[in-house]
Amino acid sequence: MPYEKHAPSSGRPRIAALDVLRGFTLCEILLANIQLMADGGSAVAAQPMGAWDPWLGLPIFSLLFGIGFSLLLDSAASRAPRPWLVLLRRLVALLAIGLAHMLLWPGEILHTYAAVGLLVLLPSTWLPRWAVAGLSAALLAVAVIGGGGPLLIAGLFLLGSALVRYGVADKIGTSTRGPLLLGLAFAAGLAAALWARAGAGTNPPALITTLADLLLAGVYVCALLVLLRTPLRAVLELVFVPLGRMALTCYLTATLLVVAAGRLLGLPIGQSLTVAYLAAGAVLAAQWLFCTLWLRRHRQGPVEWAWRWATWARRPAPRLPTS
């Protein structure tokens, strides 16, 4: 079978800020879920970063998934006679990966992302951008009132898609003022939500809790985008871009490593926060080193390569061209 000589692309350069956000979120998701992974989703004494922690990764990753989907739509529209078929293959492949991943960790999210993508993202490609933005706002409002769930993921998927279709995604990481002002607005809203949650006692309404989680995620995203406009950009890219470019590979291999450490080696990850922190640090350090070395010779991670093959129905070139 012939190789694909050039990666499918619409000519748009890779957006480093998105890779930084993706890599940062990948680290947060591992910290949030490492005890659940180790114990198969049970017998967890406490989350390493608090009860709110899983929500920080879910909103950001969901938004990034919607952005990535629409960036691929742009690429497919210029390269394939039926771009919807490219997107369909991508989501079906992700569903298969997620279902296989569930055998190791029932709490994995990929199969949910694929299902929501098939039901919401794929049909949205036939809608005008104003309808996508409007539907996103409606779904997010209903999801916040209802306390989250698949509707929240769907709303964030569509929000990410709308950001691409309105040209906002291309400008991510190129401005300081926008993220700073938006981050301050999110922070003010977060303060109000936390004040309301504190006044609600031990059982705050789901609306307040979900809204606070979303606003907190927004603060983190804006803070990172602002930091990318400072001399810290080089450090952030060095640390997070390799992980972000191979996020799917890292997400899956983290489960393998944590399950092996917890079930085969007997490390008490699910019962000890100290062990959980050390294990997460070891996994991330090993993944960062692997990703950095791998990307020196390859266009993408091994799972990303297979996913691209399934998406475009032709085998991508496995290595970068040599000079």
Side-chain angles (χ1 to χ4, degrees), residues 5-316:
K5 295 182 179 180
H6 301 286
S9 172
S10 60
R12 177 190 284 109
R14 195 170 184 96
I15 303 173
L18 295 179
D19 285 327
V20 169
L21 290 173
R22 197 174 290 113
F24 167 82
T25 308
L26 183 77
C27 296
E28 190 281 331
I29 286 174
L30 178 59
L31 285 171
N33 293 316
I34 186 168
Q35 291 187 303
L36 295 170
M37 292 176 180
D39 287 345
S42 61
V44 177
Q47 294 290 105
M49 295 178 66
W52 53 267
D53 188 56
W55 283 97
L56 179 57
L58 178 65
I60 301 175
F61 233 48
S62 299
L63 181 69
L64 292 172
F65 189 89
I67 291 175
F69 185 88
S70 283
L71 290 176
L72 178 63
L73 173 62
D74 287 349
S75 177
S78 64
R79 294 180 58 87
R82 292 178 292 179
W84 63 269
L85 185 57
V86 174
L87 302 174
L88 176 62
R89 286 196 296 259
R90 188 168 184 83
L91 291 171
V92 170
L94 184 65
L95 179 61
I97 293 171
L99 292 175
H101 190 214
M102 283 185 70
L103 299 176
L104 282 177
W105 180 39
E108 77 94 39
I109 196 68
L110 298 179
H111 72 288
T112 302
Y113 273 26
V116 174
L118 288 168
L119 293 173
V120 177
L121 264 182
L122 189 59
S124 75
T125 59
W126 284 278
L127 297 176
R129 62 182 186 177
W130 62 265
V132 172
L135 184 57
S136 169
L139 289 175
L140 287 174
V142 173
V144 168
I145 294 172
L151 286 182
L152 180 64
I153 295 175
L156 290 166
F157 278 4
L158 292 177
L159 176 59
S161 179
L163 291 178
V164 173
R165 296 176 71 172
Y166 277 96
V168 177
D170 285 328
K171 300 177 183 177
I172 287 179
T174 63
S175 171
T176 303
R177 183 178 179 183
L180 179 60
L181 293 177
L182 189 59
L184 291 174
F186 284 150
L190 176 62
L194 293 176
W195 177 81
R197 187 166 68 179
T202 56
N203 293 310
L207 183 153
I208 296 176
T209 300
T210 305
L211 182 60
D213 293 335
L214 287 174
L215 291 169
L216 179 62
V219 170
Y220 270 88
V221 169
C222 291
L224 279 172
L225 293 178
V226 170
L227 290 175
L228 284 172
R229 300 289 293 169
T230 72
L232 288 175
R233 180 185 184 97
V235 176
L236 292 172
E237 290 186 351
L238 176 67
V239 173
F240 293 121
V241 165
L243 297 172
R245 288 182 60 185
M246 293 177 54
L248 183 57
T249 294
C250 290
Y251 180 72
L252 297 174
T253 56
T255 303
L256 290 172
L257 293 172
V258 171
V259 167
R263 301 181 190 176
L264 301 181
L265 300 180
L267 294 182
I269 296 173
Q271 291 72 41
S272 170
L273 291 179
T274 300
V275 175
Y277 277 123
L278 293 175
V283 168
L284 290 172
Q287 288 185 329
W288 179 87
L289 180 60
F290 173 74
C291 293
T292 300
L293 295 176
W294 181 272
L295 290 172
R296 290 180 180 178
R297 292 175 174 257
H298 301 83
R299 298 176 185 275
Q300 61 245 132
V303 182
E304 287 79 6
W305 177 81
W307 194 22
R308 183 184 289 270
W309 189 351
T311 297
W312 294 94
R314 54 181 176 268
R315 189 179 183 185

